[in-house]
Amino acid sequence: MAAEATDRANSDRTGEPLAILAAGGQVPLQVAAAARAAGRDVLIIGLEGEAGEEIKAFPHAMAKWGQIGRVEELIRAHGAREVVVIGSVSRRPDFSSMAVDLGTLRYLPRLIRGMLGGDDTILANFARFAEERGYRIVGAHEVAPDLVAKAGPVAGRAPSGGALADARLALAAARTIGLIDVGQAAVAVNGRVVALEAAEGTDAMLDRVETLRANGRVTWSGRAGVLAKRSKPQQDLRLDMPAIGPRTVEAMARVGLAGIAIEAGRVMIAERGETVALANRTGTFIFAVDGGPGAA
Amino acid sequence: MAAEATDRANSDRTGEPLAILAAGGQVPLQVAAAARAAGRDVLIIGLEGEAGEEIKAFPHAMAKWGQIGRVEELIRAHGAREVVVIGSVSRRPDFSSMAVDLGTLRYLPRLIRGMLGGDDTILANFARFAEERGYRIVGAHEVAPDLVAKAGPVAGRAPSGGALADARLALAAARTIGLIDVGQAAVAVNGRVVALEAAEGTDAMLDRVETLRANGRVTWSGRAGVLAKRSKPQQDLRLDMPAIGPRTVEAMARVGLAGIAIEAGRVMIAERGETVALANRTGTFIFAVDGGPGAA
């Protein structure tokens, strides 16, 4: 469904300008490349302190946290009606280091409310703000459908036996904590959920599982257990989609987990070529399962 | 309710022998002292590698992990029909370091099944084994009612405003992960759940929150946020009751959390005098709320 929507969005929009509000990582560049391949005129607006040098490969500009007026001006000058908000943010904005411009000042009370809430709220408020002003927020996966997986094996064989049971258990746990808007990932090993993700994020959770194994609080031999990652059922995927990437795969071999179970269409695979190659090389499976908001 | 049951149990059982199968910490001694005060004849059976030297203050014997035959023999020789299983276990049993005796060999297949399951299963299997052989497993809080709290403030003032909201949020999150049999504790700060406990345990979770704050992933000023700890709704409190103690309170001040919310009657307060005094001295509230298996 995501792929269909994308093909339609891209084919309908050849030549139409697209603005990409980019934080860190490689994914903004994948989106920019996919949009350019579809004949669109791309502007990347890089978030200072987050976006990397690589955005210079595309027409680009920089903005600071809080410079909403500047961002809107750049989007308008580019002639874009559609905006993709994408990339990893290493830390939550801090008002003391925030560059406040006129556009921000006008909307500050609402943004402050947003920033005091969960992560979802910050982005949801930005989207509402943009849409009230006539822009359309587009999901990165709508522009670059390869960012997400179809149901089935992505790397290695489909899990079976104990690994399949752990995948189901971890996916169910991740769904449970997603429903209460806390986290998107969980680890199950030999029939037991050993870690639930909250504010620490997936990488730190995997480091924790490594520590639990090293200090003997959780024991298993060889490679066993599954990291599950999925969207929150109520998540706005245009704004915030969970992701796996090479670093996630690297952790699987290091921690001794057998593989990764993700939700088809609703979890991003960053740097897909490298991620899949690394998984195959290190004997780690990546498996995508159907299971949208309504599924168990 | 727990207190009533205990008073009845104690007054009915003056002079009746009690066996205490004791792992680590001070709680087994509190139980032994309460039972002795009620006129009962106590034997502490200390788990080697876990039980401390302090058990020598009472009639005692030692046993190793897996020496079920020896444990049963000691209980029988003491003339006890009632057994309390209590204390903290620093690591899960490892078959390679386990002393296996005849009683163990006979029941090994079932125990192995138990040990491959969650923590609850190990203890539940032990209880079933003991009860099949005619013993009655008694909750530590039934013998020593001071181990648990009645609803209301335990230390400091009852939380209000933001702290009350965080207490409710963290208690609800802890209940959610308890329902899926994963953990018993959660931390919420300023309206956001920032940590969920799984195999790492509460102390490690609190260390994580400290790190999250130190590295700026979660920010707040002064003391804010609440640790919630509760029983799993389906938990057998005779075998395994979550606990807080001086170390938990010490972590509150160190991490910068405002206080602790626990379930009345269903969470143990270890070393209560010291725990409450430390909380009062460090400006940390401890508050107990009603909310048994059926409550939200």
Side-chain angles (χ1 to χ4, degrees):
Chain A
M1 212 183 74
E4 277 170 50
T6 307
D7 295 346
R8 198 171 53 243
N10 279 338
S11 60
D12 285 1
R13 287 174 171 77
T14 303
E16 196 183 311
L18 178 73
I20 301 174
L21 186 51
Q26 298 298 312
V27 178
L29 304 166
Q30 281 180 261
V31 176
R36 182 180 267 178
R40 301 187 68 168
D41 182 14
V42 172
L43 171 70
I44 300 184
I45 303 169
L47 186 62
E48 235 165 67
E50 300 287 354
E53 290 287 305
E54 309 90 328
I55 67 167
K56 294 186 176 166
F58 293 87
H60 67 280
M62 297 303 288
K64 291 182 173 144
W65 265 114
Q67 288 187 320
I68 295 177
R70 173 169 163 78
V71 168
E72 192 190 352
E73 174 106 6
L74 287 164
I75 297 170
R76 193 172 39 225
H78 183 58
R81 303 307 301 165
E82 290 195 343
V83 182
V84 171
V85 181
I86 188 70
S88 57
V89 173
S90 59
R91 56 180 58 224
R92 312 188 105 205
D94 169 7
F95 285 106
S96 66
S97 70
M98 192 180 268
V100 174
D101 68 12
L102 198 67
T104 308
L105 273 178
R106 208 177 323 166
Y107 295 92
L108 205 56
R110 184 196 292 167
L111 285 166
I112 289 172
R113 270 202 311 281
M115 285 169 182
L116 294 176
D119 276 312
D120 291 358
T121 325
I122 298 179
L123 290 165
N125 279 2
F126 173 79
R128 214 173 306 123
F129 164 73
E131 288 181 339
E132 279 171 14
R133 300 179 73 77
Y135 299 101
R136 201 167 85 86
I137 303 288
V138 183
H141 60 298
E142 295 177 60
V143 175
D146 264 5
L147 284 175
V148 292
K150 292 191 179 72
V154 176
R157 286 196 197 167
S160 59
L164 181 59
D166 283 343
R168 286 185 177 138
L169 187 59
L171 282 164
R175 178 176 162 77
T176 298
I177 62 171
L179 278 167
I180 58 170
D181 203 20
V182 173
Q184 307 171 316
V187 175
V189 181
N190 292 333
R192 181 184 179 207
V193 177
V194 299
L196 297 172
E197 178 201 48
E200 74 276 20
T202 304
D203 293 336
M205 179 184 67
L206 291 171
D207 290 347
R208 176 161 89 248
V209 176
E210 188 180 14
T211 303
L212 287 170
R213 190 182 191 184
N215 68 20
R217 279 194 79 119
V218 181
T219 56
W220 72 91
S221 58
R223 299 280 296 269
V226 175
L227 163 70
K229 194 145 187 185
R230 63 188 306 164
S231 293
K232 297 173 187 168
Q234 69 282 22
Q235 197 149 351
D236 185 342
L237 298 178
R238 300 169 312 155
L239 291 172
D240 178 29
M241 192 185 261
I244 63 166
R247 198 161 53 173
T248 325
V249 172
E250 180 275 318
M252 293 298 106
R254 177 165 47 80
V255 179
L257 297 171
I260 306 170
I262 58 172
E263 214 180 337
R266 294 169 56 86
V267 172
M268 205 174 273
I269 305 174
E271 301 168 63
R272 186 167 189 152
E274 190 185 334
T275 300
V276 170
L278 184 62
N280 286 327
R281 203 158 64 234
T282 56
T284 300
F285 73 78
I286 303 175
F287 189 69
V289 295
D290 275 323
Chain B
M1 211 181 74
E4 278 170 51
T6 306
D7 295 344
R8 199 170 54 242
N10 280 338
S11 58
D12 286 1
R13 287 175 171 77
T14 303
E16 196 185 310
L18 178 72
I20 300 173
L21 186 51
Q26 298 298 312
V27 179
L29 304 165
Q30 281 181 259
V31 176
R36 183 179 267 177
R40 302 188 66 168
D41 183 14
V42 172
L43 171 70
I44 300 185
I45 304 168
L47 186 61
E48 236 166 65
E50 301 286 354
E53 291 287 308
E54 308 90 328
I55 68 168
K56 293 184 178 166
F58 293 87
H60 66 280
M62 297 303 289
K64 291 183 172 142
W65 264 115
Q67 287 187 321
I68 294 177
R70 173 169 164 78
V71 169
E72 193 189 351
E73 175 106 5
L74 287 163
I75 297 170
R76 193 172 39 226
H78 183 58
R81 303 306 302 163
E82 291 195 342
V83 183
V84 171
V85 182
I86 189 69
S88 57
V89 173
S90 60
R91 55 180 57 224
R92 313 187 103 205
D94 169 6
F95 287 108
S96 66
S97 70
M98 192 180 270
V100 174
D101 68 10
L102 197 68
T104 308
L105 274 179
R106 209 180 321 166
Y107 296 91
L108 204 56
R110 184 197 292 169
L111 285 166
I112 289 172
R113 269 203 310 281
M115 285 169 182
L116 294 176
D119 277 312
D120 291 356
T121 325
I122 299 179
L123 291 164
N125 279 2
F126 173 79
R128 214 174 304 121
F129 163 74
E131 287 181 339
E132 277 170 16
R133 299 177 75 78
Y135 299 101
R136 200 168 86 85
I137 303 288
V138 183
H141 60 299
E142 293 177 62
V143 175
D146 264 5
L147 284 174
V148 292
K150 294 192 178 72
V154 177
R157 285 195 197 167
S160 59
L164 182 59
D166 283 344
R168 286 186 177 139
L169 188 60
L171 282 164
R175 179 176 159 78
T176 297
I177 62 172
L179 278 166
I180 58 170
D181 202 20
V182 173
Q184 305 170 317
V187 175
V189 181
N190 291 334
R192 180 184 180 207
V193 177
V194 299
L196 297 172
E197 178 201 48
E200 75 276 19
T202 304
D203 292 336
M205 180 184 66
L206 292 171
D207 290 346
R208 177 162 87 247
V209 176
E210 189 180 13
T211 303
L212 286 170
R213 190 181 191 185
N215 68 22
R217 280 194 77 118
V218 181
T219 56
W220 73 92
S221 59
R223 300 280 296 269
V226 175
L227 164 70
K229 195 146 186 182
R230 62 189 304 165
S231 293
K232 296 173 187 169
Q234 69 282 21
Q235 197 149 349
D236 186 341
L237 299 178
R238 300 170 312 154
L239 291 172
D240 178 28
M241 192 184 260
I244 63 166
R247 199 161 51 173
T248 325
V249 171
E250 180 274 318
M252 293 300 104
R254 178 165 45 81
V255 178
L257 297 171
I260 306 171
I262 57 172
E263 215 180 335
R266 295 170 54 87
V267 172
M268 205 174 273
I269 305 173
E271 300 166 65
R272 185 167 188 149
E274 191 186 333
T275 299
V276 170
L278 184 62
N280 286 328
R281 203 158 63 235
T282 57
T284 300
F285 72 79
I286 303 176
F287 189 70
V289 296
D290 275 322

